[in-house]
């Protein structure tokens, strides 16, 4: 049953404009239901965000697919994700990149995601429990950085953590809407492109 729903979701994402076949194939490979509390599992392949406890949500599959597509990943890439949440987005990244470093500020979610990564044998993920806004200094530079919680603006410092031609994808709060911004670093210059009106949980400071 889940498989039929999964195929339907993949088609829906294609229709919504996701065209990168490796991204779609990663979404096909990773079992989203594993990242979702039991009482919501029957909705795992609907194109909606779902609660994961601690007032957080697992992002909508379209948003996960879109942000992953914008990262333009290669299998040699070292990626940083800020906001592990359920771990789903990270698992998708782990199928497309060489290694993914992920940071979560809520201990409970950090622990839960770690277990699922082990269960699914996603051995190229390294995670930590911390406020991730300043990045992961011991591991710089990264090829790609992705924020999964919305914020008013990201620290300028983050841009010095990516390599030349590196990409940072981030949901930014603008007046009362949220947009996804893709920044590309070219030398000391940054170019930015703006995408879609979407909804994320807020990026908060400190740990809890
Ligand atoms: N990528 C996740 C999306 C989870 S929602 C998924 O696929 O499920 C965003 C997550 O970012 C939440 O778990 C929230 O606790 C976390 N977060 C918010 N601000 C953060 C910060 N400053 N540092 C680390 N994690 C943060």
């Amino acid at each position: 049953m889940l498989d039929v729903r999964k195929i339907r979701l993949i088609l829906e994402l294609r229709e919504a404009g996701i065209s990168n076949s490796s991204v779609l194939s990663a979404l096909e490979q990773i079992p989203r239901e594993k990242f979702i509390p039991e009482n919501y599992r029957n909705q795992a392949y609907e194109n909606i965000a779902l609660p994961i406890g601690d007032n957080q949500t697992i992002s909508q599959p379209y948003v996960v697919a879109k942000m992953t597509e914008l990262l333009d990943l290669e299998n040699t890439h070292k990626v940083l994700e800020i906001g592990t949440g359920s771990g789903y987005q990270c698992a998708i990244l782990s199928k497309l990149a060489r290694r993914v470093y992920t940071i979560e500020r809520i201990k409970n979610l950090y622990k839960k995601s770690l277990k699922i990564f082990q269960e699914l044998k996603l051995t190229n993920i390294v995670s930590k429990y911390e406020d991730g806004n300043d990045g992961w200094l011991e591991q710089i530079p990264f090829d790609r950085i992705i924020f999964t919680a919305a914020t008013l603006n990201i620290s300028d410092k983050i841009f010095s953590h990516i390599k030349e031609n590196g990409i940072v994808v981030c949901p930014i709060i603008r007046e009362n809407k949220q947009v996804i911004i893709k920044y590309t670093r070219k030398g000391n210059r940054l170019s930015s492109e703006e995408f879609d009106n979407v909804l994320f949980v807020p990026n908060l400071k400190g740990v809890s």
Side-chain angles (χ1 to χ4, degrees):
M1 190 57 198
L2 281 178
D3 273 356
V4 177
R5 291 188 201 168
K6 191 187 260 190
I7 292 165
R8 210 168 54 201
L9 173 65
I10 300 291
L11 289 174
E12 200 178 320
L13 296 177
R14 247 183 222 288
E15 274 166 27
I18 306 295
S19 60
N20 183 320
S21 56
S22 355
V23 171
L24 290 168
S25 139
L27 268 100
E28 221 173 310
Q29 284 176 59
I30 297 293
R32 189 169 184 251
E33 67 276 13
K34 295 268 184 211
F35 298 85
I36 291 174
E38 227 155 297
N39 46 333
Y40 291 105
R41 269 190 198 157
N42 60 343
Q43 298 178 75
Y45 293 103
E46 286 175 33
N47 193 14
I48 50 174
L50 291 165
I52 52 170
D54 296 279
N55 281 324
Q56 304 301 319
T57 55
I58 176 172
S59 312
Q60 185 193 357
Y62 171 75
V63 168
V64 171
K66 183 70 187 176
M67 293 212 293
T68 309
E69 191 169 69
L70 291 177
L71 284 174
D72 206 2
L73 291 167
E74 287 171 22
N75 61 12
T76 54
H77 281 167
K78 181 176 172 185
V79 182
L80 173 65
E81 178 192 39
I82 296 155
T84 318
S86 69
Y88 179 65
Q89 167 80 72
C90 187
I92 299 289
L93 298 173
S94 79
K95 289 287 172 195
L96 301 163
R98 180 169 57 84
R99 198 169 291 279
V100 187
Y101 294 83
T102 184
I103 313 178
E104 172 55 53
R105 62 175 287 282
I106 298 178
K107 196 171 206 169
N108 200 17
L109 294 176
Y110 156 75
K111 282 194 185 157
K112 270 199 252 178
S113 62
L114 206 58
K115 263 204 192 135
I116 308 171
F117 297 150
Q118 279 162 0
E119 192 190 325
L120 297 179
K121 301 192 170 58
L122 303 173
T123 52
N124 62 340
I125 297 175
V126 187
S127 45
K128 74 171 169 180
Y129 161 58
E130 213 171 88
D131 178 336
N133 280 328
D134 292 331
W136 192 320
L137 292 177
E138 299 79 9
Q139 291 300 336
I140 54 176
F142 292 93
D143 296 283
R144 304 288 188 256
I145 298 180
I146 174 172
F147 285 78
T148 68
T151 181
L152 282 171
N153 60 312
I154 52 180
S155 148
D156 280 347
K157 274 186 280 177
I158 282 293
F159 297 111
S160 62
H161 298 179
I162 47 166
K163 295 182 188 168
E164 174 65 15
N165 293 320
I167 295 173
V168 177
V169 171
C170 182
I172 295 281
I173 302 165
R174 269 283 162 71
E175 282 129 32
N176 44 19
K177 65 175 189 175
Q178 295 179 5
V179 293
I180 301 174
I181 313 256
K182 171 182 173 173
Y183 298 94
T184 309
R185 178 177 173 176
K186 298 248 189 282
N188 287 329
R189 296 192 42 175
L190 278 179
S191 63
S192 71
E193 288 169 86
E194 202 173 297
F195 300 85
D196 302 299
N197 213 338
V198 282
L199 216 65
F200 291 83
V201 299
N203 178 312
L204 301 173
K205 300 216 180 305
V207 294
S208 74

